[in-house]
Structures are given as C-alpha cells and as structure tokens.
C-alpha cells in the first residue's frame, strides 16, 4: 500500500498528472487573454529612453503592465471563472525574471482558488533577443528554456494536466464531463532547447500526440477544444506571414474530423475571429493593446457565447494606441509635403487601425470613410500601401468582440 501511495505522489510531483476534470458543473465560464508580454521593471527602470521607445513600438503598453494586471486580476476575482487561459507571449522577450514576475502576479489568481493555464508563445522560450535596458547600454539577462518554463508555470496549467506531451510544452485539461481543452505548444521547440522562430508549427511528434488525444477524447464522448499561440487561419490578407501556423489546413482538417467547434489563439495582437472549415479561430488581442481586452466564454452542451471585456487604467489606452500608430506610420508618408494632408492621412490610419485591433472596425466603416484622410489616401497613387492596408481592414463584416455558437 505504501508503495502505491509513493508512486501516486511521485506521479503528481513529476508530471502534475491528475484524473479529475476541473469542474463538476455542466456550465463553464472561461476567461481568455493573450500576449501579456510582461517585462520585469528591474530590466528597464534605469533606462531613460525605454518608455519613450515604446511610443514607437507596436502599441503594447509595456510600462503599464502592472496596472493593467491589477485591474485584470480584480475582474477575474469578481467573475470567478472555472479557468483563465493565457495563449502565449507571456513575457516581453523570454527573460527569466519577467516569467517569474508574471507567475508571481498570476499566483494572486490561483491563491484565490481560480485555475490558470498558460502555453508559450514565440517570445517566451530560448529567445535570442532577451535583454535588459540599462542606464547606458543593454544588459544581459537570463533567458528561459523549456525546463525553466515548466518549472515557473508548474502551478499554472501543468499541475492540472490530465495528459502531457513529453517532447513539447503541450498538455490536456479535462474541463468537465463534456469538454477537454488541448493546450498546444506551437512554438515547436524540442525540450532539449532550440532557438525559436516567429512562425509556428507542430512537430511530427506534436501532431502525433494531438491525433492521439483527439481520438481518446472522442472515445470518451467528449468535445475537444484547442488553445495555441499561432493562428489556425489567416486573419488579414496582407499580414499573415509567420502568424498562421504552418500546415494550417491539414491541422484544421484534423480538428474538423473531431468536430472541434472553436480554437483560441493570439499572436497577431489584434482581436479577430475567422472561420476555417466549421471551426472558429478566436484570436485574442494583446491584453496590453487598446482597448486592453480579454474574452469571457460561457460554455455548455448547447453552445458557447463569447464576449470581450475591456479594462480601464489611469492612462487613455485609445489615445496611446493611436499615437503609436501615427509615430510608426509617418515614415511611410515622406512623399506628402503638405502638413495638413499628412495629418489627415495619419488620423484616418490611426483611427482605423485602433478599431481594427479592437475588433470593431465593421461598426465604424461610415466614420472612417467620412474622414478627410480616407479620400486623400484613395486618390493618391503614392499611398498604395495605405490604400491596401485600409482596404484589408475595412473588409471586416462583423464584430470580433462577440460570438455565439450553437452546437448541433
Ligand atoms: Fe506577441
């Protein structure tokens, strides 16, 4: 008997294996957020230009992350979901201290008795760009390898796993009697450590494990769901290279054959829902990008409903995002010499970009098309990229902040 108890304890310690679903209820509430890109303050606080440099970045409010997390964690404690899912890019650039800092913040959620489950994104493990920003120069910081990742986030998903893939950071959670969630590692590194690419793929071994898990879930008459960092399908006609997972049609066909109704992804930092086969790919925007939103999913045997919720902090996130867009886009407008014309073009691009990243551009098409810069862009041959980019955003027909699916 002693030997059996010892074996069970070893099993729980080593692999975090468990045989219990997370909930006994038929109805589930899930919260999903992505691309937190948490950067430990110690790594940039002495650098005078770091905050300014973020205004020329991609719009993430990196220096406001702790304030955003304060409000996010407070919301989670009020919502009391069965699970909080974070679909990768947890750290700024894979610094070990950033992962540890984020795990400490997430512990505030698990200490409140709420489950958290994470998977890595392309920035998180073996990242060659991991560095700190010192007073006069960059600083070397400790990088995170796959074993570190497992150890740091042991209590944020891996401890809840019913199955684990030994050659990646993928695992399976049984949510309740009806739903299993496959938390898939699309960063495709081996546990031996290998520097990562921005694009995502499943190794042959990960694909094999995915197939086995889908078959096992089916044999238990459960419905499989999947979360991964990279997208299952293209979300923008212009910008999809390195965002959509390699062999996405093959993966989507496999998921279709097991009636997966939706997957959760991130990576593009833009709130966007697209369908491939009969599967919805819900790409969550970055929690650090305006409108600082996360998704709430209510799920039962009849169907699911999804709705985003945005966070308010001391800084106006919409204004911040538009300013960064303008700072970045101005380089493309060198051919325009008239200042008023230039500002009109920047205004429309920044506004459209903000709505697009928020997932609401379909509701604001009239407003965008009535802005003076819209007509300028469309009659100016030199602004071909702006024309194409605007068109690729205005193609959206419905909001990406909401979705409901009825299961047949
Ligand atoms: Fe990201």
């Amino acid at each position: 008997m002693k030997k059996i108890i010892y074996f069970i304890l070893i099993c729980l310690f080593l692999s975090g294996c468990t045989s219990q679903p997370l909930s006994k209820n038929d109805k589930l509430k899930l919260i999903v957020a992505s691309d937190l890109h948490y950067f430990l303050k110690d790594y940039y606080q002495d650098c005078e230009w770091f905050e300014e440099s973020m205004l020329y970045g991609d719009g993430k409010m990196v220096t406001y992350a702790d304030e955003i997390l304060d409000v996010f964690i407070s919301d989670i404690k009020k919502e009391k979901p069965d699970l909080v899912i974070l679909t990768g890019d947890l750290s700024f650039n894979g610094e070990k201290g950033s992962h540890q800092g984020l795990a400490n913040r997430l512990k505030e959620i698990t200490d409140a008795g709420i489950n958290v489950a994470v998977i890595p994104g392309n920035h998180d493990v073996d990242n060659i760009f991991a560095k700190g920003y010192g007073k006069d120069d960059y600083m070397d910081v400790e990088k995170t390898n796959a074993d570190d990742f497992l150890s740091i986030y042991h209590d944020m998903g891996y401890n809840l796993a019913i199955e684990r893939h030994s050659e990646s950071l993928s695992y399976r959670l049984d949510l309740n009697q009806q739903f299993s969630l496959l938390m898939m590692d699309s960063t495709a590194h081996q546990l031996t450590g290998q520097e990562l690419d921005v694009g995502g793929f499943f190794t042959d071994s990960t694909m094999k494990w995915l197939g086995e898990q889908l078959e096992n879930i089916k044999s238990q008459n459960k419905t499989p769901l999947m979360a991964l960092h990279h997208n299952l399908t293209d979300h923008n006609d212009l910008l999809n290279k390195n965002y959509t997972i390699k062999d996405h049609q093959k993966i989507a066909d496999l998921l279709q054959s097991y009636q997966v109704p939706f997957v959760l992804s991130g990576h593009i930092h833009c709130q966007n829902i697209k369908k491939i086969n009969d599967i919805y790919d819900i790409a969550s925007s970055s929690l650090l990008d305006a409108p600082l939103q996360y998704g709430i999913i209510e799920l039962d045997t009849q169907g699911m409903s999804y709705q985003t919720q945005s966070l308010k902090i001391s800084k106006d996130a919409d204004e911040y995002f538009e300013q960064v867009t303008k700072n970045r886009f101005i380089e493309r407008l060198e051919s325009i010499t008239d200042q008023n014309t230039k500002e009109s073009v920047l205004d429309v691009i920044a506004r459209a970009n903000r709505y697009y990243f928020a997932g609401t551009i379909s509701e604001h098409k009239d407003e965008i098309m009535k802005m003076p810069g819209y007509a300028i862009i469309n009659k100016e041959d030199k602004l071909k990229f702006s024309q194409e980019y605007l068109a690729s955003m205005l193609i959206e027909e419905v909001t990406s902040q909401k979705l409901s699916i009825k299961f047949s």
Side-chain angles (χ1 to χ4, degrees):
M1 185 64 182
K2 256 186 181 171
K3 272 187 182 167
I4 294 170
I5 292 170
Y6 181 69
F7 174 77
I8 291 169
L9 285 173
I10 287 289
C11 176
L12 285 170
F13 179 74
L14 286 179
S15 64
C17 63
T18 173
S19 56
Q20 292 297 315
L22 300 188
S23 171
K24 292 191 171 95
N25 299 329
D26 291 341
K27 282 184 188 294
L28 290 166
K29 184 192 272 191
L30 312 174
I31 281 184
V32 59
S34 199
D35 295 79
L36 274 68
H37 285 285
Y38 189 77
F39 198 25
L40 192 70
K41 265 206 170 90
D42 298 6
Y43 291 155
Y44 65 83
Q45 65 187 358
D46 295 330
C47 177
E48 282 166 13
W49 51 266
F50 182 76
E51 184 147 21
E52 175 77 11
S53 75
M54 288 296 100
L55 290 172
Y56 295 83
D58 60 5
K60 302 191 292 283
M61 301 181 80
V62 175
T63 56
Y64 295 85
D66 274 306
E67 190 183 343
I68 293 167
L69 274 169
D70 286 343
V71 196
F72 182 50
I73 292 167
S74 160
D75 269 20
I76 288 168
K77 287 180 181 172
K78 278 183 221 142
E79 292 285 348
K80 296 187 175 56
D82 296 289
L83 182 67
V84 177
I85 301 160
L86 301 179
T87 50
D89 277 3
L90 305 165
S91 64
F92 189 60
N93 267 323
E95 315 79 23
K96 196 168 176 181
S98 299
H99 280 302
Q100 287 163 332
L102 179 64
N104 283 338
R105 297 299 324 258
L106 298 177
K107 192 169 178 298
E108 295 169 42
I109 305 172
T110 54
D111 282 350
I114 298 167
N115 294 314
V116 176
V118 306
I119 38 170
N122 55 295
H123 282 255
D124 289 329
V125 180
D126 295 330
N127 190 332
I128 52 171
F129 300 110
K131 62 174 181 276
Y133 295 73
K135 193 165 171 47
D136 302 311
D137 205 352
Y138 295 117
M139 308 185 286
D140 286 338
V141 300
E142 203 175 343
K143 289 195 276 186
T144 309
N145 64 29
D147 289 333
D148 297 329
F149 189 93
L150 270 176
S151 150
I152 293 168
Y153 295 109
H154 176 268
D155 294 340
M156 280 114 206
Y158 295 95
N159 60 327
L160 307 169
I162 197 143
E163 294 281 352
R164 279 228 0 242
H165 180 220
S166 61
E167 293 176 33
S168 77
L169 294 168
S170 307
Y171 58 102
R172 167 178 156 193
L173 301 175
D174 279 0
L175 300 178
N176 63 3
Q177 291 304 320
Q178 183 62 37
F179 295 99
S180 287
L181 174 63
L182 292 162
M183 299 288 289
M184 298 302 297
D185 177 1
S186 56
T187 61
H189 62 87
Q190 309 292 322
L191 280 177
T192 48
Q194 176 183 315
E195 275 157 6
L196 301 184
D197 202 347
V198 177
F201 64 102
F202 292 152
T203 61
D204 291 346
S205 167
T206 303
M207 272 306 278
K208 183 168 174 280
W209 186 82
L210 173 63
E212 288 164 2
Q213 292 306 313
L214 288 166
E215 195 56 36
N216 184 271
I217 292 166
K218 184 184 174 186
S219 74
Q220 295 179 12
N221 290 320
K222 291 184 177 188
T223 305
L225 307 172
M226 188 166 102
L228 75 168
H229 181 64
H230 294 81
N231 307 124
L232 185 64
T233 189
D234 294 345
H235 285 262
N236 182 290
D237 291 342
L238 275 189
L239 310 172
N240 52 54
K241 191 173 180 292
N242 285 334
Y243 291 113
T244 307
I245 192 165
K246 193 176 167 218
D247 293 332
H248 71 286
Q249 188 62 58
K250 182 178 147 194
I251 297 167
D253 289 347
L254 176 69
L255 299 181
Q256 174 82 13
S257 66
Y258 289 92
Q259 283 99 44
V260 173
F262 65 90
V263 304
L264 303 170
S265 66
H267 196 34
I268 42 175
H269 291 201
C270 169
Q271 181 69 32
N272 198 271
I273 301 174
K274 288 278 181 301
K275 218 173 171 186
I276 179 165
N277 299 341
D278 294 326
I279 307 159
Y280 289 93
D281 178 13
I282 304 171
S284 296
S285 50
S286 166
L287 190 68
L288 300 196
D289 275 330
L292 313 178
Q293 65 192 340
Y294 61 88
I296 303 181
I297 296 168
E298 313 249 21
L299 181 66
D300 63 24
T301 53
Q302 306 296 306
M304 72 83 95
S305 72
Y306 170 88
Q307 167 85 58
T308 61
Q309 184 74 37
S310 98
L311 303 170
K312 289 273 170 291
I313 60 164
S314 61
K315 180 84 178 166
D316 185 329
D318 291 347
E319 199 178 275
Y320 185 97
F321 191 84
E322 288 197 16
Q323 189 56 56
V324 174
T325 304
K326 288 179 183 180
N327 292 348
R328 287 287 298 270
F329 217 81
I330 200 162
E331 293 167 15
R332 294 182 177 272
L333 305 182
E334 276 171 2
S335 59
I336 301 180
T337 48
D338 180 68
Q339 196 55 28
N340 287 337
T341 306
K342 196 178 263 193
E343 276 169 24
S344 295
V345 170
L346 285 174
D347 282 345
V348 73
I349 290 285
R351 185 63 48 86
N353 204 37
R354 174 163 72 76
Y355 288 144
Y356 181 65
F357 271 68
T360 59
I361 196 160
S362 61
E363 297 151 57
H364 297 282
K365 286 187 187 183
D366 283 351
E367 179 191 334
I368 296 298
M369 290 179 185
K370 280 180 188 155
M371 289 176 78
Y374 182 78
I376 297 169
I377 288 173
N378 281 299
K379 69 171 192 244
E380 194 57 76
D381 284 347
K382 285 181 246 169
L383 298 175
K384 198 161 180 350
F385 176 80
S386 305
Q387 283 171 19
E388 286 175 354
Y389 187 49
L390 260 183
S392 78
M393 296 191 280
L394 289 167
I395 211 165
E396 296 293 325
E397 305 244 311
V398 291
T399 179
S400 284
Q401 290 191 331
K402 272 187 221 167
L403 178 70
S404 64
I405 307 174
K406 276 204 176 5
F407 300 146
S408 47

